[in-house]
Amino acid sequence: MARRVWLLGGSGKVGGHVARMLAADGIAVTTVSRRRHNPGSPHPHVSLDLAAPGTALPLGADDVAINLTEATTTDHVLAILRQGATLLETSATEEYVLPTRDAVRAARPPGTLVDCVGVAPGLTNLMAHELVRTHPGIRHLHIGGELGLGEHAGAAATRWFLDGLGARTAAKVNGTWQEVPTGSFSRKFAFHPDRPARRAIAYPFVEQTLLAEDFNSGIDTVLTYLALSPPWITRLLSAGLRLGAGPVASRRAESLTRFLMRFPPLGETSTRIVVEGEDHAGNRASITLETGEQSRATAAIIAATARAVDPMRPAGLTTIVDWLTVDDAVAALKDAHPRTRLARTAVDRTETAIPGKIPNGVTP
Ligand SMILES: NC(=O)c1ccc[n+]([C@@H]2O[C@H](COP(=O)([O-])OP(=O)(O)OC[C@H]3O[C@@H](n4cnc5c(N)ncnc54)[C@H](OP(=O)(O)O)[C@@H]3O)[C@@H](O)[C@H]2O)c1
């Protein structure tokens, strides 16, 4: 078990939940962020701008740092790992995660990086790996997340969502890498066991790239999608993106974040993930998860990973699948949200017809 957990961004929404969960297990927590104090928190707080060059935290080799900021420079990440500590990375941003991976591969520090820690990426990676392991014929993976707007995400997570609206990310589709602008196509997912399938739009989560690399030639397609609940917001978003609003929203992400944070929460407080796999014959298998408030669910998985990491295990670049199983993650989610449900299904193509506007050839 970690000697001390340093929560980089511990004064934020997800960080507050993680701090409470780890402290309840008797783990010593220190929060780190730019503000001078972390009001209402019983934990020691370090005031530090993690984006500034030359910043350093005095970590011990069995300490764990959890990064909830997307502000740390690559030098700072390496400084943590050179002290032999473990760093849990929660970012879903490709431009942030890929250079961090490259730097760790090149520098080979003694510490351990665990990336893709959270719900998406994180739980999505665990579900995709389990699906491919248990259904080796799968060639196409479609990963859909539905976020209920009954809870405000933190400012950093809202900003990340807006930044992604203008993205033109590369994705592997039918064996070739293609540029996929956000919202350029959609697909329906059975997010709810007892309601009609809901449309989700193409949206670039980092696992779209990482899972395609993990599975390499074994998988032809990895695409990630986002839906918002209530579903009319997804339809509105999709229409706006078709009219070219994505790059504008990205450019104005900072002011739009402030604007959206003032809106009242809307609809249900829920998080749903569907990972759907399809083989060459069109047979499908899926894992579907339903849980509660997104920031608390993210925190539950981060806390479970922090408990699982072992400084005695091999160092270097690892990901959440090296430390948790789907069942471990679901157990942690049930502690946070007792109504969490997981379903595993495998269906013959004759029994299923999930409609969707998807790129040519993704489905037979
Ligand atoms: N994998 C997943 O499923 C998942 C899901 C949701 C969120 N996340 C991750 O969690 C992060 C936090 O989300 P959130 O909803 O908790 O956002 P949030 O409430 O805005 O929290 C962001 C935290 O980062 C701190 N921070 C920002 N810039 C900093 C800097 N330059 N130096 C030091 N601290 C800085 C902020 O404090 P100050 O302003 O005081 O500095 C705050 O404590 C997101 O960026 C994302 O990477 C991951």
Side-chain angles (χ1 to χ4, degrees):
M1 187 173 285
R3 182 162 59 87
R4 176 165 292 278
V5 169
W6 300 77
L7 279 179
L8 316 183
S11 57
K13 183 135 193 184
V14 175
H17 289 307
V18 179
R20 279 186 290 279
M21 289 171 182
L22 293 178
D25 288 344
I27 296 175
V29 168
T30 296
T31 58
V32 181
S33 73
R34 291 167 299 188
R35 65 196 73 180
R36 292 188 60 189
H37 308 285
N38 189 2
S41 162
H43 308 292
H45 180 74
V46 175
S47 174
L48 192 65
D49 183 352
L50 291 159
T55 54
L57 290 165
L59 271 69
D62 50 356
D63 284 0
V64 172
I66 299 176
N67 195 7
L68 296 157
T69 68
E70 292 197 339
T72 48
T73 61
T74 304
D75 284 348
H76 195 206
V77 168
L78 291 178
I80 291 172
L81 299 178
R82 284 195 178 109
Q83 296 175 78
T86 300
L87 176 65
L88 270 51
E89 178 54 65
T90 66
S91 171
T93 307
E94 191 168 306
E95 297 75 31
Y96 187 78
V97 173
L98 298 186
T100 305
R101 282 191 158 199
D102 289 343
V104 173
R105 278 194 194 103
R108 302 166 65 124
T112 304
L113 175 69
V114 188
D115 68 11
C116 296
V117 180
V119 169
L123 183 57
T124 45
N125 300 52
L126 295 172
M127 291 163 73
H129 273 269
E130 183 190 294
L131 200 65
V132 170
R133 195 177 60 251
T134 51
H135 298 84
I138 283 174
R139 304 297 300 183
H140 306 287
L141 272 177
H142 297 272
I143 301 169
E146 185 196 65
L147 298 180
L149 298 181
E151 172 219 7
H152 263 305
T158 306
R159 166 103 207 230
W160 167 83
F161 161 71
L162 292 165
D163 280 336
L165 292 179
R168 306 179 69 86
T169 316
K172 194 175 180 190
V173 184
N174 296 320
T176 55
W177 287 86
Q178 301 179 12
E179 190 179 74
V180 177
T182 299
S184 54
F185 57 89
S186 63
R187 182 182 178 91
K188 282 193 173 178
F189 286 90
F191 288 117
H192 303 250
D194 43 6
R195 290 189 223 162
R198 286 182 172 179
R199 193 164 295 284
I201 58 166
Y203 192 93
F205 289 83
V206 68
E207 58 269 46
Q208 188 165 261
T209 304
L210 299 183
L211 288 171
E213 288 175 356
D214 283 357
F215 297 126
N216 198 1
S217 56
I219 295 287
D220 296 334
T221 304
V222 183
L223 286 167
T224 55
Y225 305 76
L226 179 67
L228 300 171
S229 178
W232 64 265
I233 304 267
T234 312
R235 290 196 290 276
L236 194 67
L237 182 64
S238 177
L241 291 172
R242 278 199 304 278
L243 292 171
V248 182
S250 271
R251 276 199 301 278
R252 304 210 172 145
E254 193 146 349
S255 54
L256 270 175
T257 299
R258 284 196 295 274
F259 175 72
L260 289 176
M261 299 296 285
R262 287 200 292 267
F263 260 75
L266 198 65
E268 53 184 356
T269 305
S270 57
T271 309
R272 295 185 174 87
I273 306 283
V274 178
V275 177
E276 194 177 279
E278 193 173 295
D279 67 15
H280 275 318
N283 299 310
R284 291 180 183 181
S286 64
I287 306 180
T288 305
L289 178 115
E290 178 175 357
T291 187
E293 183 190 4
Q294 175 266 133
S295 56
R296 203 167 145 76
T298 302
I301 294 180
I302 294 170
T305 314
R307 289 181 206 112
V309 290
D310 175 355
M312 303 308 288
R313 289 266 301 268
L317 174 58
T318 69
T319 186
I320 192 168
V321 296
D322 297 305
W323 302 99
L324 291 187
T325 63
V326 172
D327 290 336
D328 294 335
V330 170
L333 287 172
K334 281 190 170 161
D335 281 345
H337 293 299
R339 69 180 168 91
T340 300
R341 285 190 296 178
L342 183 90
R344 296 172 169 99
T345 53
V347 282
D348 188 277
R349 68 177 304 193
T350 51
E351 294 172 44
T352 182
I354 298 180
K357 271 170 50 191
I358 48 182
N360 284 344
V362 170
T363 52

